[in-house]
Amino acid sequence: MRMPILLALNVPFCPARCSYCDKGCDVIGDLSLLDRYADALTREVEASAHQFDDCEVQAVWIGGGIAGHLFDEKLGVLLRSLRAWFPFAPEPEVTLKVHPGMVSTETLTAMRRGGVTRLSIDYATANGFECEPLGRFLPPGAMDVTQMVLAGAPVSLSFDVLTGLPAQTPGTLVQTLETALRYGAQHIQLLPLRVVPGTPFAEHWVRENAASASLRRHLPNGAERAALSTAADAFLTAHGFAQYLPGQYALPGCESAYLRLEREGCAQLAFGAGAVSRIDGMQSQNIRSVRDYCRFSPDPERLTQSVFPMD
């Protein structure tokens, strides 16, 4: 019997950096770097594939940044190649991370070629006043364009929704959830906003408004955050969603196989700059620098930055 395994392809690029983000993502500037990275990612995956013939891929995650739209053509080719390089389960889940307004007809073509079954949409909030301090590069209404592009596409939709935003109330959070459901959400991931030192959000917005009495400048306290969670749980439960993992809600049959197996400790083989693999009780991490990753990719052994036992 083959060992179940997860595949993760790290795509650490975004069109712009949100003010609260602390991920190791590169902002798109040199488009040729995208091509070099896609080629390097393909080389690393292909070089490793023969070592895992006794495994069976249960789910694939493509994210780390915003993978959709940035790698349309080459991503589709790479995802299609995965099935030739690895043994796959009969109906594997393949999740692609996208941003509202960043899904094109070319993205749909890549999804079809690569067998993408699920989109994880970095939605955050439906409310413009909650979005404003986050420095996001497209407004919430950009989801309207994505909905038109996706019309009829056979994919499951998961929405990432932030909680604990400035001025957020149970009512505005429910409004965001209502909007996500109208867009066709079958899965909701509730993510508490993290105020990370060193980010523009923490260093400028929070510091400048720490003493403000304005409700529009107010970060929810502990009790208010608890009220947000209670309101979200009540709303989603009333609309047929069930919480199957902390912060993860899904309609029946729409749970994320990747998230569930990851939580259960399933082995993961990850590729790309900064990618973290967990195999046979050991954890390894690739070098974080995208440019070094591209430079060293002809010699895959040089891509590993650290290896240590898992806790």
Side-chain angles (χ1 to χ4, degrees):
M1 182 176 178
R2 289 192 170 107
M3 180 180 75
I5 194 172
L6 304 174
L7 295 184
L9 305 183
N10 197 35
V11 182
F13 294 95
C14 280
R17 183 178 293 278
C18 298
S19 66
Y20 62 94
C21 179
D22 66 331
K23 293 181 180 179
C25 291
D26 276 25
V27 174
I28 298 302
D30 180 6
L31 294 180
S32 68
L33 181 59
L34 291 177
D35 284 338
R36 296 200 302 276
Y37 185 81
D39 291 338
L41 185 61
T42 299
R43 280 193 293 269
E44 185 193 9
V45 175
E46 187 174 13
S48 301
H50 69 279
Q51 305 173 39
F52 298 92
D53 291 337
D54 59 342
C55 298
E56 184 177 75
V57 176
Q58 301 292 315
V60 180
W61 183 277
I62 312 104
I66 303 300
H69 187 60
L70 300 181
F71 282 89
D72 289 338
E73 181 59 31
K74 290 196 174 184
L75 181 61
V77 172
L78 174 56
L79 291 179
R80 186 171 54 189
S81 299
L82 287 180
R83 296 173 186 269
W85 296 335
F86 292 92
F88 268 67
E91 295 184 5
E93 175 187 275
V94 181
T95 300
L96 178 66
K97 191 76 176 179
V98 300
H99 192 285
M102 294 291 292
V103 177
S104 64
T105 54
E106 290 80 12
T107 308
L108 286 180
T109 300
M111 287 164 48
R112 293 190 183 101
R113 288 179 177 174
V116 172
T117 63
R118 186 173 177 274
L119 292 184
S120 177
I121 301 170
D122 185 16
Y123 188 58
T125 175
N127 298 296
F129 68 89
E130 291 176 351
C131 190
E132 180 183 355
L134 302 180
R136 288 170 65 84
F137 52 88
L138 287 173
M143 188 61 205
D144 290 342
V145 177
T146 296
Q147 184 183 45
M148 291 188 337
V149 173
L150 290 175
V155 290
S156 177
L157 300 182
S158 174
F159 280 64
D160 292 354
V161 172
L162 290 177
T163 64
L165 299 175
Q168 191 175 50
T169 67
T172 63
L173 176 56
V174 166
Q175 181 184 6
T176 290
L177 295 174
E178 287 175 335
T179 305
L181 266 58
R182 286 200 299 271
Y183 282 131
Q186 298 157 294
H187 184 282
I188 297 287
Q189 181 171 222
L190 296 177
L191 299 172
L193 175 68
R194 296 172 61 241
V195 181
V196 181
T199 61
F201 180 75
E203 297 303 315
H204 299 290
W205 195 93
V206 172
R207 184 174 59 190
E208 291 172 4
N209 294 284
S212 174
S214 170
L215 292 177
R216 289 178 64 86
R217 301 293 180 181
H218 173 61
L219 275 174
N221 59 30
E224 290 164 336
R225 285 175 178 267
L228 291 170
S229 296
T230 299
D233 182 83
F235 174 83
L236 291 171
T237 300
H239 286 78
F241 286 71
Q243 184 174 201
Y244 68 100
L245 289 173
Q248 309 292 334
Y249 291 80
L251 294 173
C254 297
E255 300 84 358
S256 168
Y258 180 91
L259 294 176
R260 177 175 53 80
L261 290 168
E262 184 183 44
R263 179 68 177 238
E264 293 172 358
C266 183
Q268 173 171 282
L269 186 59
F271 303 98
V276 177
S277 296
R278 299 182 300 273
I279 303 287
D280 296 332
M282 300 296 291
Q283 180 168 302
S284 63
Q285 182 171 16
N286 279 352
I287 53 177
R288 292 180 177 274
S289 166
V290 167
R291 285 163 179 78
D292 285 346
Y293 176 82
C294 293
R295 184 158 55 97
F296 295 151
S297 67
D299 183 5
E301 292 186 1
R302 298 184 66 186
L303 297 179
T304 303
Q305 176 176 283
S306 60
V307 180
F308 49 89
M310 295 170 57
D311 294 333

